[in-house]
Amino acid sequence: MLKPSALRQEAAERLRQAAYSPKRLVLLHTAVALGCSVLSSLINYVLSLQIAETGGLSGMELRSILATAQSVLELAVTIGFPFWNIGLIFAVLRWTKGQAAEPADLLQGFRRFFSVLGFLFLRALLFLMLAIGITNITSTIYRMTSFATPLVNLLTPLMQQGSSAETLMTEAFFSALLEEITPLLIISAVLFVLLAIPLFYRLRFSDFAVMDGLSAGKALLKSVSITQKQFWELVKLDLSFWWFYLLQVLSVAICYADSILPALGVSLPVSPTVATFGFYIIGSVCQGVLLWQFEARRLTVYGLAYRRLDGTIDTDDTDALA
């Protein structure tokens, strides 16, 4: 049994024994992640302004250079984030062993680049295969029902010989197509969520396993193995942190408040640009404070759960602290 109260108490004890402050390490990790995100957004905005000012044929070369720089920056941040984020998992595993974790340990994701890359690829591939399988099955069944008749009638002219597809593909056609295909999309999405949740929990500790030294495939298999018949235990563990996830959602919502508030009919007294960057920075700060104060303990709880399911921590070790 994974008792959240026992795991939280054990996590607090392990963190108190850490030689290097876990909160300071998480603060460094969070500052780099959020700082890069905010800085990337600011640089992209400046580059977009410069691209807009380079009009005419004479500015084509400069526009191309700026657009390339913009794409490279976005790609670098997108690729680097997963490897940076998983470095904190390595630090957590060291805390669960009673070992010291230092800033250099946050780079472990880059040191194990190919293992982490393979793990990310395989995990994404599993969810993609699930989505494709569900879409194919639901589409086949949907076409066999009377609900698909309007959709079939709409697509039939495209398949008839002699008909010009380009003349049929108008804005009205795509609007009607979207309306007819919406029920199928909703059904597929609901089925995907229902099946993706159990898959997510079976792979829940795969990132811990890969940072524990296993290869990509073995990490996924180990997570599947140790989470067998543990679905509801892991759900309870997640629910014990409901307040953390709620605050995290709220901090993300603040980042996009410049779009949310106008959609709710609230007018903002500042320009769109100021609102975009202002709310984004405020939301990032809120998220940073939340992670700084609670992320180390939360992740260590999951790290101890991984160790317990793996058998490297005895049941009595945590039960005795409950």
Side-chain angles (χ1 to χ4, degrees), residues 29 32-38 40 75-87 110 120 280:
H29 181 270
V32 171
L34 295 180
C36 287
S37 180
V38 172
S40 174
L75 183 63
V77 172
T78 302
I79 293 177
F81 266 1
F83 297 93
W84 174 253
N85 288 336
I86 205 171
F110 294 98
L120 294 172
Y280 189 74

Side-chain angles (χ1 to χ4, degrees), residues 194-271:
L194 291 177
L195 294 177
I197 290 176
L199 178 60
F200 167 77
Y201 277 103
R202 294 306 298 272
L203 303 177
R204 188 62 184 272
F205 293 110
S206 53
D207 50 351
F208 284 89
V210 77
M211 295 311 292
D212 208 16
L214 296 182
S215 62
K218 289 182 179 179
L220 293 171
L221 291 174
K222 182 173 184 177
S223 180
V224 170
S225 175
I226 66 177
T227 54
Q228 186 177 6
K229 298 181 181 180
Q230 298 293 333
F231 177 81
W232 291 113
E233 296 298 322
L234 295 175
V235 169
K236 292 175 185 177
L237 188 58
D238 280 341
L239 291 177
S240 69
F241 287 105
W242 65 269
W243 53 272
F244 178 89
Y245 298 119
L246 177 60
L247 291 175
Q248 198 167 38
V249 169
L250 291 176
S251 65
V252 172
I254 292 174
C255 291
Y256 298 99
D258 61 301
S259 300
I260 297 174
L261 292 178
L264 297 176
V266 179
S267 59
L268 300 174
V270 295
S271 66

